[in-house]
């Protein structure tokens, strides 16, 4: 696999030429990339000459900033001030006479996509592949990056190779050779997210077919489940070795700021350390969260949203351990999120069998439904953090009906009974509460999670508004 990294390198005429070879960004920063938007701060790092300062500047529509940082042991690192969604920006690194400009940089949400072959399954392999591929260029603000397949027995600082450098989507990039680039689940997840959030989405694919959770786990995580290193035997391929993919394909990414991660894996553990999976999978999630939080100096949330696909079907007549592994994917709770796996979300895929898939029934072609179900979960997590005060009051001294232009303030629910809801009027004096409205926004609640339903919990209440003062006649 040819690993290639693309940089725009401009050397000024008076700089020492040798200097230019030293200044560069880490492998996973490049033109067309998406960096994590505000409120988080994006982390950017690279290489330079020890002792000399590196100047990093960002120039674009809503934000300009310049930072100077020292180079320690050949590495510089910058935490940018928060940048709102949008772009394009230029990100420039200068040191002595050398300059590197990364153009067309966007700010949005960055998601990591991990797992085994059902995550590696490309957009060119899905049902309706030609239609899906033809649509790619309509989503230039959904950008993709993919780590190359590499393994290592030690934790690497940077990726050893890049399969797809940051790119705008094209049919060629999304529909590469089978199981190469680009992940259908990852792409469709990003595209559907974009369709509802309407701001740039950056997708970082780092996955490898046929690999067990142990390969993607650090020693810390394995030890916490009583596993030792290396948990491998000669009958298995090397990429089955414990920690080798964590070391080469996840550890290097810890230093960037991400919004969340999605994961499609488990088949390789249906017959391998299956009984440990209810420990190893949640332990890997905890460990990734801790490590991404630390690696980004606190920018990536310590409990970032983590979505996963509960395995689809494999064979009808044999017993391959799929019910057990599906159960273990939930830490034996049967549902997610749960007490052990907080802030996770799960896409159930058991109703999407594909017996005649050209890639074997273990690789079902309907990735659209899988990705859509993941997006419903992710949206619920993102919306929850954006706060969705579904009730609002109009706080006004004027004795007349309130309109959309009136001052509406959130009225958080304090208590809910079977036939009443108590809301807080917050800082508004009672005599000024002029109206109450419910679900009055384009998107008031996440999937099947509005506050008010019929007594049997099935039918959602529609929006309503009560004005205290009657309309003037
Ligand atoms: C970014 O760099 C490109 C190429 O040098 C230039 O054309 C463009 O004007 C720059 N954009 C900003 C916002 O500075
Ligand atoms: C995988 O494990 C085998 C057996 O323990 C070992 O010989 C090999 O070096 C390991 N490979 C890597 C990449 O760590
Ligand atoms: C990346 O994060 C790791 C883990 O916190 C840290 O040890 C390492 O120094 C960081 N690397 C860079 C280049 O900042
Ligand atoms: C494929 O396209 C057809 C026709 O538009 C549609 O009915 C079907 O749901 C699509 N399949 C998937 C998996 O999206």
């Amino acid at each position: 696999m040819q690993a290639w990294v693309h940089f725009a390198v401009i050397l000024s005429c008076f700089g020492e030429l040798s200097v230019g070879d030293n200044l560069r960004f880490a492998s996973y920063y490049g033109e067309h990339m998406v960096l994590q938007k505000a409120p988080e701060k994006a982390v950017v790092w690279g290489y330079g000459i020890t002792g000399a300062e590196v100047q990093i500047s960002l120039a674009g529509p809503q934000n300009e900033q310049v930072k100077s940082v020292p180079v320690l042991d050949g590495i510089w690192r910058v935490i940018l001030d928060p940048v709102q969604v949008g772009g394009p920006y230029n990100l420039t690194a200068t040191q002595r006479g050398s300059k590197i400009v990364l153009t067309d940089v966007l700010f949005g949400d960055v998601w990591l996509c991990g797992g085994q072959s059902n995550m590696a399954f490309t957009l060119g392999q899905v049902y309706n592949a030609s239609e899906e591929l033809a649509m790619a260029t309509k989503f230039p603000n959904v950008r993709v990056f993919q780590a190359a397949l590499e393994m290592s027995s030690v934790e690497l600082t940077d990726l050893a190779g890049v399969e797809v450098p940051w790119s705008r989507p094209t049919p060629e990039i999304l529909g590469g050779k089978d199981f190469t680039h680009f992940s259908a689940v990852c792409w469709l997840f990003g595209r559907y997210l974009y369709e509802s959030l309407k701001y740039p989405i950056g997708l970082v694919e780092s996955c490898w077919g046929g690999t067990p959770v142990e390969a993607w786990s650090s020693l810390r995580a394995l030890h916490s489940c009583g596993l030792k290193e290396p948990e491998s035997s000669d009958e298995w391929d090397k990429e089955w070795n414990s920690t080798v993919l964590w070391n080469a394909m996840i550890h290097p990414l810890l230093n960037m700021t991400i919004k969340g991660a999605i994961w499609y894996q488990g088949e390789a553990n249906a017959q391998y350390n299956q009984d440990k999976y209810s420990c190893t999978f949640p332990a890997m999630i905890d460990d990734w969260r801790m490590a991404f939080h630390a690696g980004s100096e606190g920018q990536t949330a310590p409990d970032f949203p983590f979505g996963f696909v509960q395995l689809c079907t494999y064979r009808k007549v044999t017993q391959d351990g799929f019910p057990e592994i599906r159960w273990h994917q939930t830490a034996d709770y049967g549902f997610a999120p749960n007490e052990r796996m907080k802030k996770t979300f799960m896409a159930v895929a058991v109703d999407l069998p594909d017996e005649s898939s050209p890639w074997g029934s273990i690789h079902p072609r309907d990735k659209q439904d899988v990705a859509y179900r993941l997006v419903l979960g992710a949206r619920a997590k993102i919306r929850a953090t954006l706060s969705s005060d579904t009730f609002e009051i109009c706080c006004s001294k004027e004795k007349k009906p309130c309109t959309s232009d009136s001052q509406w303030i959130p009225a958080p629910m304090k208590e809910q009974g079977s036939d009443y809801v108590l809301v807080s009027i917050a800082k508004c004096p009672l005599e000024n509460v002029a109206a109450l409205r419910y679900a009055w926004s384009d998107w008031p609640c996440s999937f099947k999670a509005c506050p008010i339903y019929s007594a049997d919990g099935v039918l959602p209440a529609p929006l309503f508004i009560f004005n205290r003062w009657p309309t003037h006649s």
Side-chain angles (χ1 to χ4, degrees):
M1 200 144 311
Q2 177 77 30
W4 46 297
V5 187
H6 198 128
F7 292 125
V9 180
I10 301 166
L11 295 174
S12 80
C13 37
F14 49 82
E16 306 128 280
L17 278 177
S18 59
V19 170
D21 298 332
N22 294 298
L23 179 66
R24 61 196 165 95
F25 285 88
S27 66
Y28 49 89
Y29 299 107
E31 55 178 356
H32 311 307
M33 69 179 164
V34 177
L35 292 175
Q36 182 57 42
K37 70 169 177 70
E40 290 88 2
K41 301 173 190 168
V43 178
V44 178
W45 67 277
Y47 310 89
I49 302 164
T50 303
E53 295 256 303
V54 167
Q55 200 177 61
I56 301 295
S57 59
L58 183 74
Q62 299 109 337
N63 192 302
E64 306 242 331
Q65 48 178 294
V66 182
K67 307 223 172 230
S68 278
V69 287
V71 180
L72 304 171
D73 294 331
I75 285 178
W76 52 267
R77 165 184 169 114
V78 160
I79 301 184
L80 296 175
D81 295 335
V83 181
Q84 300 298 326
V85 293
Y89 285 86
N90 287 350
L91 185 69
T92 305
T94 31
Q95 186 182 41
R96 296 202 182 139
S98 323
K99 178 161 144 182
I100 302 171
V101 186
L102 304 182
T103 57
D104 190 28
V105 174
L106 304 180
F107 283 79
D109 282 342
V110 180
W111 285 82
L112 174 66
C113 305
Q116 57 178 108
S117 56
N118 271 311
M119 185 59 90
F121 198 87
T122 72
L123 194 67
Q125 295 176 270
V126 301
Y127 282 129
N128 300 341
S130 45
E131 289 91 322
E132 298 288 358
L133 291 170
M135 264 192 276
T137 53
K138 295 200 175 120
F139 298 90
N141 291 338
V142 183
R143 306 282 173 86
V144 298
F145 173 90
Q146 188 176 350
L149 306 189
E150 297 283 350
M151 55 193 143
S152 168
S153 51
V154 292
E155 293 181 341
L156 302 185
T157 304
D158 200 354
L159 294 173
V162 174
E163 167 80 12
V164 179
W166 279 108
S167 308
R168 292 167 175 242
T170 65
E172 294 70 34
I173 287 169
L174 300 186
K177 204 156 66 68
D178 296 347
F179 299 105
T180 60
H181 51 87
F182 188 83
S183 161
V185 171
C186 190
W187 164 255
L188 291 166
F189 175 81
R191 200 191 94 194
Y192 297 157
L193 262 190
Y194 177 80
E195 284 173 317
S196 60
L197 298 173
K198 308 274 194 263
Y199 58 69
I201 302 288
L203 301 169
V204 176
E205 176 182 346
S206 185
C207 62
W208 193 326
T211 53
V213 72
E214 291 80 1
W216 298 99
S217 302
S218 73
L219 274 183
R220 279 184 307 266
L222 295 173
H223 287 167
S224 74
C225 294
L227 290 173
K228 292 182 187 61
E229 81 269 22
E231 197 65 29
S232 60
S233 89
D234 293 340
E235 46 186 305
W236 301 114
D237 292 338
K238 285 201 306 270
E239 64 267 24
W240 273 70
N241 284 18
S242 293
T243 76
V244 294
L245 304 180
W246 155 263
N247 289 340
M249 294 175 69
I250 300 297
H251 186 268
L253 302 174
L254 299 180
N255 304 95
M256 84 173 138
T257 314
I258 60 168
K259 184 73 188 177
I262 56 170
W263 175 258
Y264 196 159
Q265 189 276 337
E267 298 89 339
N269 286 103
Q271 312 272 343
Y272 175 70
N273 280 346
Q274 184 216 67
D275 57 328
K276 294 273 188 194
Y277 201 81
S278 57
C279 183
T280 48
F281 181 44
M284 185 203 80
I285 297 173
D286 287 350
D287 192 67
W288 279 25
R289 283 173 166 168
M290 185 275 292
F292 272 94
H293 181 65
S296 63
E297 284 188 25
Q299 294 312 312
T300 296
D303 56 353
F304 64 76
F306 190 105
F308 64 95
V309 182
Q310 193 182 40
L311 296 190
C312 188
T313 50
Y314 180 20
R315 287 190 287 218
K316 264 187 188 156
V317 287
T318 52
Q319 297 298 318
D320 296 303
F322 271 44
E324 290 79 10
I325 203 77
R326 286 186 196 115
W327 189 250
H328 294 334
Q329 284 185 292
T330 67
D332 300 350
Y333 280 76
F335 54 87
N338 58 54
E339 195 57 30
R340 175 68 189 88
M341 302 169 74
K342 298 203 169 107
K343 296 237 177 121
T344 59
F345 51 97
M346 175 169 80
V348 177
V350 74
D351 63 338
L352 306 171
D354 183 7
E355 229 179 333
S356 54
S357 169
W359 298 278
S361 60
I362 203 166
H363 297 124
R365 284 166 288 177
D366 180 357
K367 298 296 192 239
Q368 287 90 336
D369 279 299
V370 168
Y372 186 66
R373 291 170 190 185
L374 281 172
V375 164
L376 293 178
R379 265 182 354 198
K381 292 284 174 290
I382 294 170
R383 292 280 149 178
T385 58
L386 289 180
S387 119
S388 52
D389 293 296
T390 345
F391 282 98
E392 292 166 302
I393 53 168
C394 169
C395 194
S396 167
K397 289 188 174 128
E398 296 178 59
K399 293 190 167 22
K400 60 175 199 186
C402 293
T403 66
S404 300
D405 297 330
S406 307
Q407 193 203 355
W408 291 93
I409 58 174
M413 287 205 298
K414 288 171 68 181
E415 202 181 305
Q416 187 170 18
S418 61
D419 57 357
Y420 72 93
V421 171
L422 262 187
V423 301
S424 160
I425 59 169
K427 294 199 177 83
C428 187
L430 185 57
E431 63 271 22
N432 292 354
V433 176
L436 170 74
R437 68 183 186 184
Y438 167 75
W440 206 275
S441 72
D442 283 13
W443 192 326
C445 25
S446 52
F447 188 66
K448 294 192 177 174
C450 284
I452 306 181
Y453 285 87
S454 54
D456 58 7
V458 176
L459 301 173
L463 79 178
F464 60 75
I465 180 164
F466 293 134
N467 268 301
R468 183 169 182 180
W469 312 111
T471 317
H472 296 290
S473 48

